[in-house]
Amino acid sequence: MPLTVGTAGHIDHGKTWLVRALTGKDTDRLPEEQRRGISIDLGYAPLELVDGRRLSLIDVPGHERFVRTMVAGATGIDLFLLVIDAGEGARPQTHEHLAILRLLGIERGVVALTKIDAVDAETIELAEEEARELVQGAAIVRVSARTGDGIDNLRSELGRLADDVEHARADAPTRLPVDRSISIPGFGTVVTGTLWSGSVAAGARLRLEPSGRDVRVRSVQVHDCDVEQADAGQRVAVSLPGVERGDVGRGETLVAPGAYPRSFRLDVVLHELVPIAENARVHVHHGTADLPARVVRVGDRFAQLRLDRPVVAARGDRVVLRAETTLGGGAVLDPAPGRHRDATRLELLAAGDIAATIHAPVRMDALHHVLPEELSGAERAGPWVFSADWLEELEGDLRARIASADPIDPGVPVPGAPWMADVLPLLPFERRGSRLYLPGSTPTLEGRAVEAEALAAELGEAGMRATKLDDEKLARFLEAGGRLVRLGEGYVVGAEAFEIARDVVLVECAAEGGITLARFRDLAGTGRRDAQLLLERLDADGVTRRVGDRRVLRRDAARAH
Ligand SMILES: Nc1nc2c(ncn2[C@@H]2O[C@H](COP(=O)(O)OP(=O)(O)OP(=O)(O)O)[C@@H](O)[C@H]2O)c(=O)[nH]1
Ligand SMILES: [Mg+2]
């Protein structure tokens, strides 16, 4: 099983020398690193075990200014190699690195008490006692990178630990936080990182997030050897044709397209090393990304991290929160939450009750990230998941709004939500056009029925003479009942009279090819203004159109008659 070991420890305590003693490789390759004798960036070296297995070693810098680099290196490792100078004992970054490892959930590892060639037995004894208290349960191996003492012991101890580590991430979709991008002549841009989950094969189509750029993998290497496929836990180098080196770097993640949500928020269980204030500005370290963010506290033990830039995270991911120093960390409960401060929701999520956190519709595919397996206890419609309570509330709300709707038109607009088309069939309402009604409901005009009938009678008597009507309610009522037709300028006519007017026009046009305003007025026996309003309504209805001083039938209308 491929495993990655990461060093940790205070500056100058001998991490890089120890890596060299174990692997034969000097990982301080930058000129500045060699000149200053300190590590600045991450170093990588393959580590051969006695039985021929290979681990990957990541060497991190110890300087307090480079703790963020240490976090990027430590993220995704399986085992730690905590290096303590036997002469100095634990120092500030020994403690800080150890705290970071714990925040990242990296519990297993070994302590190397190094430089034992330089101190007496008593000093070693004291340092060992201190280390035992500091890192309970871990083996402590005395070594010297200078003389080679203890190096084989350390190698076997790492081998023993590697036997026990389990990788549960192979099945998850591919995710590779990029920690380096290099330009290799003939290969183009190559990115490297520890493969968190899934696999990467030559030819694979992946996506760089959060930039959203689709890429195709040309080749995959593990420790400078070409492989068909690299698996979770391995250190890999992936060549990406067509990508400029400057376009990708530490902080980007190579993922299976669409498998992880891109989000500006993370809901986390908070682990505080020091009290973190509401609204504190922090840096959230996630994978190899370092993101400025604000901490919105939720209840006693949760927080919503609101990020300045998006991340692709998954439930269970660990984050480290830093300002000048390491403040604490978090375990992701929801990698793409809405804005909220709902502690109850987070309690449920922490307890693994995903269904209980679902209320309003969310897309099923967005839930894969918080969902260990199939979801039970929630309603489904099309791609949407929601609670039975929510559906009941929606129904209740629509019912209430319909009840208070204008009795002339007792419906409400269909809510314009993306889930509506899928959810509507579950609701006991009737859709008419763009509105919802109680099944079989008809317009009514409480208490004004007499007035309405009087108006209808009046319109009947007026025939094709237009009547001015200011009472909008009455107009809508009779119009909805098919008894009134609106003309322009607030005028109306009875529906029957309008039918007759239309027939007159149709018949005349069929016989004569068209009709003038004067001719229509004579045939209809109305005034000029009434005739004008009727013809305009027929134009608006698409029955006729004006050509010069005549109306002719529109083609559709002509065909229909
Ligand atoms: N005597 C003795 N000196 C050592 C040993 N290992 C390292 N040193 C000394 O310690 C110095 C620092 O060692 P490094 O391995 O560079 O320390 P580091 O922990 O990698 O330092 P940073 O990466 O800057 O945090 C070396 O330059 C050596 O002089 C050892 O086993 N014995
Ligand atoms: Mg070093």
Side-chain angles (χ1 to χ4, degrees):
M1 194 174 307
L3 289 180
T4 305
V5 183
T7 63
H10 196 72
I11 185 167
D12 255 352
H13 272 203
K15 297 178 288 298
T16 304
W17 273 43
L18 195 55
V19 168
R20 196 181 58 197
L22 284 163
T23 68
K25 185 171 168 186
D26 184 358
T27 54
D28 279 352
R29 63 213 146 73
L30 299 176
E32 197 188 347
E33 291 181 318
Q34 286 173 359
R35 189 168 47 76
R36 289 170 65 184
I38 63 166
S39 301
I40 293 169
D41 208 350
L42 301 173
Y44 309 94
L47 168 65
E48 300 268 354
L49 295 179
V50 199
D51 58 9
R53 276 182 302 166
R54 257 187 171 187
L55 305 184
S56 298
L57 243 173
I58 301 183
D59 184 36
V60 308
H63 196 297
E64 62 171 321
R65 294 241 335 267
F66 305 138
V67 174
R68 49 185 292 217
T69 308
M70 179 270 171
V71 181
T75 189
I77 64 172
D78 302 290
L79 298 170
F80 64 78
L81 171 57
L82 181 66
V83 179
I84 300 176
D85 182 328
E88 286 212 339
R91 305 274 287 119
Q93 269 62 54
T94 316
H95 295 288
E96 189 171 12
H97 284 192
L98 196 56
I100 287 166
L101 291 169
R102 287 176 177 151
L103 291 170
L104 291 174
I106 302 153
E107 307 282 352
R108 293 164 159 277
V110 52
V111 180
L113 217 52
T114 191
K115 307 195 194 180
I116 54 164
D117 59 282
V119 285
D120 57 35
E122 199 185 334
T123 312
I124 299 174
E125 205 59 56
L126 282 174
E128 184 163 334
E129 224 166 87
E130 182 192 40
R132 193 170 298 120
E133 244 170 61
L134 203 59
V135 201
Q136 281 165 18
I140 297 166
V141 184
R142 302 176 176 197
V143 293
S144 164
R146 173 156 284 160
T147 64
D149 263 4
I151 297 296
D152 286 341
N153 273 352
L154 182 58
R155 196 190 307 278
S156 348
E157 188 53 39
L158 286 169
R160 206 180 55 72
L161 281 172
D163 289 340
D164 297 344
V165 175
E166 283 176 32
H167 252 304
R169 305 182 301 218
D171 293 345
T174 299
R175 194 155 51 134
L176 173 75
V178 172
D179 51 33
R180 256 188 322 176
S181 104
I182 37 189
S183 184
I184 299 181
F187 273 91
T189 297
V190 173
V191 299
T192 68
T194 305
L195 187 53
W196 274 17
S197 60
S199 58
V200 180
R205 295 192 176 278
L206 297 174
R207 186 171 294 161
L208 281 165
E209 294 280 18
S211 61
R213 183 182 182 132
D214 287 318
V215 294
R216 197 183 54 80
V217 173
R218 176 152 60 196
S219 64
V220 184
Q221 291 197 326
V222 175
H223 294 308
D224 301 331
C225 297
D226 279 321
V227 293
E228 279 295 304
Q229 174 175 317
D231 296 311
Q234 280 182 314
R235 286 279 325 157
V236 297
V238 178
S239 77
L240 303 174
V243 176
E244 291 296 317
R245 184 188 164 197
D247 289 346
V248 52
R250 198 167 283 173
E252 289 273 310
T253 304
L254 205 51
V255 296
Y260 297 92
R262 195 188 299 164
S263 168
F264 280 92
R265 291 180 288 274
L266 296 174
D267 282 349
V268 299
V269 184
L270 209 52
H271 302 294
E272 289 169 271
L273 298 177
V274 295
I276 299 175
E278 165 71 5
N279 261 324
R281 289 293 306 182
V282 299
H283 281 257
V284 172
H285 295 260
H286 172 259
T288 57
D290 170 355
L291 309 140
R294 211 157 49 76
V295 179
V296 174
R297 310 241 3 177
V298 182
D300 291 340
R301 57 186 199 110
F302 304 113
Q304 180 162 89
L305 307 175
R306 300 203 173 144
L307 312 162
D308 290 2
R309 294 195 303 274
V311 281
V312 281
R315 180 177 164 84
D317 281 0
R318 299 299 186 101
V319 296
V320 173
L321 308 180
R322 301 193 77 247
E324 291 296 301
T325 57
T326 302
L327 307 174
V332 174
L333 290 174
D334 187 340
R339 289 171 84 90
H340 75 92
R341 286 170 177 267
D342 183 352
T344 316
R345 179 191 140 80
L346 294 186
E347 287 291 354
L348 290 166
L349 267 185
D353 191 351
I354 312 296
T357 67
I358 295 167
H359 192 56
V362 287
R363 289 188 72 97
M364 188 67 197
D365 51 14
L367 277 178
H368 290 323
H369 320 295
V370 289
L371 215 54
E373 59 270 335
E374 254 316 283
L375 180 71
S376 60
E379 304 291 315
R380 314 258 318 240
W384 305 100
V385 196
F386 44 88
S387 71
D389 285 352
W390 173 82
L391 191 64
E392 218 169 273
E393 278 170 27
L394 176 68
E395 186 185 326
D397 174 53
L398 287 169
R399 246 181 226 293
R401 283 166 52 208
I402 287 173
S404 62
D406 191 337
I408 287 171
D409 182 16
V412 293
V414 175
W419 37 258
M420 201 58 217
D422 293 301
V423 170
L424 200 55
L426 304 179
L427 295 168
F429 302 115
E430 200 175 294
R431 184 179 184 146
R432 296 180 210 153
S434 62
R435 295 169 72 81
L436 292 179
Y437 297 84
L438 293 179
S441 70
T442 48
T444 56
L445 196 58
E446 299 152 325
R448 299 190 63 192
V450 177
E451 270 177 84
E453 288 315 311
L455 174 61
E458 195 186 308
L459 291 179
E461 267 166 38
M464 274 185 254
R465 265 181 294 116
T467 303
K468 183 93 171 167
L469 182 62
D470 295 327
D471 194 326
E472 177 59 17
K473 278 208 166 187
L474 283 186
R476 274 174 66 193
F477 177 71
L478 290 181
E479 188 183 29
R483 298 160 74 189
L484 167 153
V485 174
R486 290 173 196 261
L487 303 177
E489 298 162 29
Y491 285 91
V492 300
V493 288
E496 266 175 45
F498 184 73
E499 288 297 306
I500 296 168
R502 184 167 59 188
D503 285 346
V504 166
V505 170
L506 289 172
V507 169
E508 180 70 6
C509 286
E512 302 296 329
I515 189 167
T516 61
L517 175 62
R519 174 74 178 146
F520 175 63
R521 183 195 57 199
D522 292 345
L523 288 174
T526 63
R528 185 184 165 83
R529 189 204 56 206
D530 299 334
Q532 175 82 30
L533 289 170
L534 285 163
L535 286 177
E536 281 170 0
R537 169 76 200 226
L538 288 169
D539 290 344
D541 285 356
V543 177
T544 48
R545 67 190 166 87
R546 264 186 88 156
V547 179
D549 64 348
R550 298 205 311 165
R551 251 81 183 181
V552 296
L553 292 189
R554 279 186 184 271
R555 212 174 296 157
D556 298 355
R559 210 177 293 132
H561 290 272

